[in-house]
């Protein structure tokens, strides 16, 4: 086969992969979250021209949430697919260039709920280091307010919340919370009350899981990202907010509030590739003495190419640190025990040991 023939064959194969990816997104991922994205993805899967244009991008840069977010950022109308496709064709070069320069940075603060569930097992004070930190919204788990809800049982009525935690984790607060829970349980009812935390997270606990009883004692926090975002920068805020799918109003409000938290006390986030030798270790070395270093990788590993992913996991395991990760069970083989690839959600693991299942964005936590 000639070079041109090989190139055409590779382009055709890439177009098939893009079609399958968008069809799967329309069928399995967008329903229930964004009707608009479901329509757009189904349209792309049936549009040879758009498929050819996207096939020239690397796999991480042609993902539906990224392409759709970039097109919206550039002014694509949020309406029927025909309008979106017309905008895409009119601005194809600019859209493709922006996608090539950007990546999905799902900076979802709700992921702090499973993070808190895992961090309760680790003694403090904690030095928290996140890989793929984006704007750092998952670096403030102890500053958010939580209401862990039990799943509906019996006649469908929801039991009372199991815990309400807030922005400051003091001994007095813990005693007050314990006394309130004890008193309420004596009456057969538990009355949750939010603290002053401006970001309110309401994850669901499934399968009878107990709620965490304390927030982590975090005294140092830092992150690393290929393209760090600054919550104080209007363009960066717009990009993080633009990654929210149309129709997710509650999520948009949550992220906006978390961006305000990060902007008020910006965390240290360095630009770099954590999978490269020495990069992560250099940042980890800044953690204060006398702390427990915890490296977190919430949802980031699937976005790292496999070779780099395996190298990164080996680097994390080589540090004097605990490791909390929230991943698809198919993302790697670094679990301490087999995990079911077909079970719901992602695997929440501590040092590779599965401790729970969780919604990829943190909306629910269930037994492992």
């Amino acid at each position: 086969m000639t070079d041109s023939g090989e190139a055409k064959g590779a382009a055709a194969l890439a177009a098939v992969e893009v079609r399958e990816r968008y069809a799967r997104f329309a069928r399995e991922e967008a329903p229930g979250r964004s009707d608009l994205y479901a329509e757009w993805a189904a349209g792309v899967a049936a549009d040879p021209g758009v498929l050819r244009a996207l096939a020239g991008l690397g796999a991480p840069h042609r993902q539906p949430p990224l392409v759709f977010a970039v097109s919206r950022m550039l002014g694509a109308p949020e309406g029927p697919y025909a309008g979106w496709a017309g905008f895409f064709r009119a601005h194809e070069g600019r859209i493709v260039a922006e996608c090539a320069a950007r990546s999905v940075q799902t900076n979802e603060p709700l992921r702090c709920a499973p993070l808190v569930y895992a961090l309760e097992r680790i003694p403090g004070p904690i030095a928290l280091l996140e890989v793929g930190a984006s704007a750092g919204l998952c670096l403030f788990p102890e500053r958010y307010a939580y209401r862990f809800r039990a799943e509906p049982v019996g006649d469908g009525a929801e039991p009372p919340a199991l815990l309400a935690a807030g922005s400051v984790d003091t001994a007095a607060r813990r005693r007050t919370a314990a006394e309130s829970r004890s008193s309420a349980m004596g009456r057969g009812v538990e009355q949750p009350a939010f603290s002053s935390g401006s970001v309110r997270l309401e994850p669901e606990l499934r399968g009878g899981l107990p709620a965490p009883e304390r927030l982590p004692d975090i005294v140092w926090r830092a992150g690393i990202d290929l393209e760090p975002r600054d919550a104080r920068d209007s363009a960066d805020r717009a990009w993080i907010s633009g990654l929210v799918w149309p129709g997710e109003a509650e999520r948009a409000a949550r992220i906006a509030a978390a961006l305000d938290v990060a902007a008020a006390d910006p965390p240290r986030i360095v630009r770099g590739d954590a999978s490269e030798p020495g990069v992560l270790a250099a940042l980890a070395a800044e953690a204060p003495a006398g702390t427990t270093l915890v490296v977190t990788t919430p949802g980031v590993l699937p976005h790292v190419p496999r070779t780099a992913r395996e190298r990164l996991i080996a680097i994390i395991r080589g540090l004097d640190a605990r490791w909390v990760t929230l991943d698809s069970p198919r993302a790697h083989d670094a679990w301490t025990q087999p995990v079911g690839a077909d079970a719901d959600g992602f695997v929440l693991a501590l040092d590779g040991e599965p401790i729970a299942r969780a919604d990829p964005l943190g909306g629910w936590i269930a037994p492992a």
Side-chain angles (χ1 to χ4, degrees):
M1 184 181 290
T2 64
D3 289 345
S4 62
E6 290 179 353
K8 289 180 179 178
L13 179 60
V16 170
E17 292 175 350
V18 176
R19 182 178 69 241
E20 293 175 347
R21 177 70 184 95
Y22 277 75
R24 184 172 70 252
F25 183 86
R27 183 178 63 249
E28 300 176 5
E29 300 174 39
R33 285 188 58 186
S34 175
D35 292 340
L36 184 64
Y37 272 12
E39 178 186 344
W40 285 3
V44 170
D47 191 325
V50 176
L51 291 174
R52 283 194 298 271
L54 296 179
L57 289 164
H61 301 286
R62 63 193 187 209
Q63 298 182 58
L66 177 64
V67 173
F68 295 156
V70 165
S71 66
R72 290 167 57 216
M73 178 185 72
L74 296 179
E78 295 188 10
Y81 176 74
W84 182 87
F87 182 90
F88 183 93
R89 293 186 178 92
H91 303 276
E92 178 182 320
R94 189 178 178 193
I95 292 174
V96 169
E98 284 286 349
C99 288
R102 294 176 181 268
S103 60
V104 174
Q105 294 177 295
T106 308
N107 217 185
E108 174 51 73
L110 189 53
R111 283 177 172 159
C112 285
L115 181 59
V116 164
Y117 184 86
L119 290 177
E120 189 179 35
R121 293 161 168 76
I122 302 174
I126 288 173
L128 192 65
L129 197 170
E130 181 184 1
V131 176
S134 187
L137 306 191
C138 290
L139 283 170
F140 297 93
E142 86 287 11
R143 298 189 186 177
Y144 300 155
Y146 299 83
R147 180 174 181 261
F148 289 88
R149 301 174 291 109
E151 63 182 329
V153 297
D155 60 2
E158 182 179 321
L162 299 178
L163 172 71
S167 56
V168 181
D169 184 29
T170 64
R173 182 186 295 276
R174 290 197 296 273
R175 284 197 301 271
T176 300
E179 291 166 0
S180 297
R181 287 197 298 275
S182 176
S183 174
M185 291 174 68
R187 299 192 303 271
V189 177
E190 188 173 359
Q191 299 294 335
F194 283 118
S195 76
S196 59
S198 60
V199 179
R200 298 186 173 187
L201 309 179
E202 300 192 38
E204 179 182 86
L205 291 171
R206 298 180 176 177
L209 283 184
E213 294 185 356
R214 64 180 178 86
L215 292 173
D217 178 17
I218 298 173
V219 297
W220 179 88
R221 71 196 82 227
I224 184 168
D225 200 286
L226 292 172
E227 189 65 38
R229 301 294 173 178
D230 188 337
R232 299 166 296 180
D233 182 89
S234 59
D236 283 349
R237 288 179 70 103
W239 175 241
I240 296 298
S241 299
L243 286 166
V244 177
W245 300 3
E248 296 184 317
E250 182 177 331
R251 185 180 176 209
R254 181 170 64 241
I255 287 176
L259 283 166
D260 289 341
V261 171
D265 183 17
R268 172 163 165 69
I269 304 178
V270 303
R271 183 185 303 273
D273 185 344
S275 72
E276 290 298 318
V279 174
L280 187 60
L283 183 57
E286 298 180 16
T291 61
T292 300
L293 176 63
V294 179
V295 177
T296 68
T297 53
V300 71
L301 294 181
H303 300 289
V304 180
R306 180 163 289 277
T307 300
R309 187 187 317 161
E310 294 173 352
R311 188 168 62 239
L312 173 59
I313 291 171
I315 289 171
I316 293 172
R317 287 183 152 173
L319 297 173
D320 182 14
R322 309 297 300 272
W323 174 35
V324 176
T325 191
L326 179 64
D327 290 317
S328 163
R330 295 177 291 275
H332 56 78
D333 298 318
W335 317 110
T336 60
Q337 56 188 276
V339 296
D342 297 327
D344 290 342
F346 278 14
V347 178
L348 176 66
L350 175 58
D351 301 327
E353 178 183 355
I355 59 175
R357 287 274 180 165
D359 171 63
L361 297 181
W364 54 262
I365 308 170

